[in-house]
Amino acid sequence: VGFVVHCENMPTVSVFKNELYEQMGKTYTDEEFDQLCFDFGIELDDVTCEKEMIEKEKGKEAAQGLSEEVVYKIDIPANRYDLLCVEGIARALRIYLLMEDIPKYKIVKPKNPIKMTVKPETAQIRPFVVSAVLRNITFTPGRYASFIDLQDKLHQNIGRRRTLIAIGTHDLDTLSPPFTYEALPQKDIRFQPLSEEKEFRVDELFHYYENVKENCHLKEYLAITKDSPVHPVIYDSKRTLLSLPPIINGEHSKIRLDTKNVFIECTGTDMTKLNIVLNIMLSMFAHYTAEPFTIEAVDVVDPQGKTASYPQLGDTIFKIPDAEYVNKLIGINMEHSKMASILQRMQLDASFDPSEGLTVKVPPTRADILHPCDIAEDIAIAYGYNNITKTMPKAGTQGKQLPINKLSDQLREVVAQAGYLEVMTWVLVSLPENFELLKRENDGTCVTIAKPRPEEFSVVRTTLIPGLLKTMKANKEQNLPVDIFECGDVVLQDASRDTGARNRRRIAALHYGTTSGFEQVHSLVDRIMQQNNIVFKGEEGLNNKKKVYEIRKSEDPTFFPKRRADIFIDGAKVGVFGIVHPDVLENFNLAFPCSIMEFDLEVLLRE
């Protein structure tokens, strides 16, 4: 009931028209609502009904008997998690229309708060958990459906299909706090899963979902924890299992329409995202409690014994001392005081002080606000894009291709005309492929990926050679000889750059056949130099303004001794070519001789 989310590009939220207007307290024609969405920065993608949607996807037979109630399909920005449910959309539009004030959330902490204790073993798989309680909530069928659907949307969106975040919601009155968050072997966990009639051991449950239960939507999540030696689990004080994250909750604490007190727990690997998800779940449904926007805190005790209270619903403060920053970004002329006024329409509580400028309080629902430029965007939306006066640019510019890209395209054509086929390989490689398999020492210049999945993509390449050799390995059944090349970027560490790394454009070519082809890659180097008006040392004649290249003895271990050479331009080393060492060929499972050349293109652009 209610919503569908498609996460391929922008999330599309489908909501019943009547339910949305009931929550907004106002009705519109479809055209009027379309314009309202445009003004607010979202888009009414389609006006349809459940029957029509299913008919398009599965045919007329599957759509028989379904509702013909009007459904709005609304495209929303991917980072606006507060708009993933009808409650969030209705509230945001009401505030935008000045029909409602920005809600103020109240956190209540009892004298003896509920505790969640985290066991050390959870560090092996999903180390973090946050929790909170919604007391005296009132569900209706529509609210209940929206509550369940929002969890699924957050799982698919910010939770990356539960790999980062998993949400569990429980009827607190069926449980006995305090709770423990543990990680146990699968064979040691036994419980009755949601919507099942008997108990399962976890390994039995995985087999049941994977091989027995038909059309099981949980099958895609099993791989997240299936091969782990331990599985996360949450128990209450009586060892009643609440949740088996990120797979399923227990039947015992199932939320029902008559549930009054809801315990929400979120587990995962990213604490920032956990806080966002918990805050969104609470803020979207806290106005259904007996005392609207009131939330009960839960204490989480980590394995080191430190206690933190959740939720953390404090505002994030941004200061914009100079109005010109915003005015230049948008192209308007607005005073600080006016900015503070219109930001209220975007759920941002702002104030102006002549000595400090604009102070903006960003509520926990607006996790998309990360920088003052995001606030400037909201000012533009509230001001109205159509109200921004069109002006001619103050400076005339002419677009053109970047010199390095132009040179790359020209050299691609030159090398292709020499009989080489262009390939495009992964920018990420494994550490051994980048060094050990090429017989090179790790010089510490490569950029390493944190927590890579899989390990074969653990570093950013510092040379194009592994990609060419892997391509040849995958195509060694082709008729010989094979000539391939690649023109692309490598990445090197550079402490002088803001990012700590820099890109370098390189070109590399490979000849693979029954003979080494050393003379072929050598002649290709000469041809590229000739096309760039670079002369061989000793042939410059009277024109000493031309760049000069030469080849010198190389010690590169990737290549065969005495069959390798370094390339120098005006005395600076720019590349290497030679016959690939037999050990390297064996490492890449290649049986025939191979020659490779590689050099840096960016030196060709230097004056």
Side-chain angles (χ1 to χ4, degrees), residues 408-474:
S408 299
D409 288 343
Q410 290 171 336
L411 287 182
R412 284 186 176 103
E413 188 171 344
V414 169
V415 179
Q417 288 174 350
Y420 289 77
L421 179 68
E422 185 175 12
V423 298
M424 296 179 67
T425 65
W426 300 112
V427 175
L428 299 181
V429 296
S430 71
L431 189 63
E433 287 170 349
N434 201 68
F435 294 107
E436 183 182 336
L437 299 188
L438 298 180
K439 291 174 63 67
R440 292 178 176 176
E441 292 292 327
N442 185 348
D443 56 5
T445 60
C446 69
V447 175
T448 304
I449 308 301
K451 298 181 181 178
R453 293 184 180 181
E455 284 295 327
E456 61 202 75
F457 296 139
S458 58
V459 299
V460 187
R461 65 186 181 187
T462 61
T463 171
L464 300 180
I465 294 176
L468 292 179
L469 291 171
K470 288 165 67 179
T471 301
M472 196 61 254
K473 176 183 176 181

Side-chain angles (χ1 to χ4, degrees), residues 321-358:
D322 187 2
E324 277 306 298
Y325 170 78
V326 174
N327 287 332
K328 284 182 178 179
L329 283 178
I330 303 173
I332 59 176
N333 185 17
M334 185 185 295
E335 297 293 333
H336 270 131
S337 55
K338 176 65 175 175
M339 292 179 187
S341 175
I342 67 172
L343 278 172
Q344 303 291 328
R345 301 179 65 190
M346 304 306 294
Q347 305 180 60
L348 303 178
D349 189 4
S351 60
F352 169 67
D353 184 288
S355 61
E356 295 186 358
L358 189 67

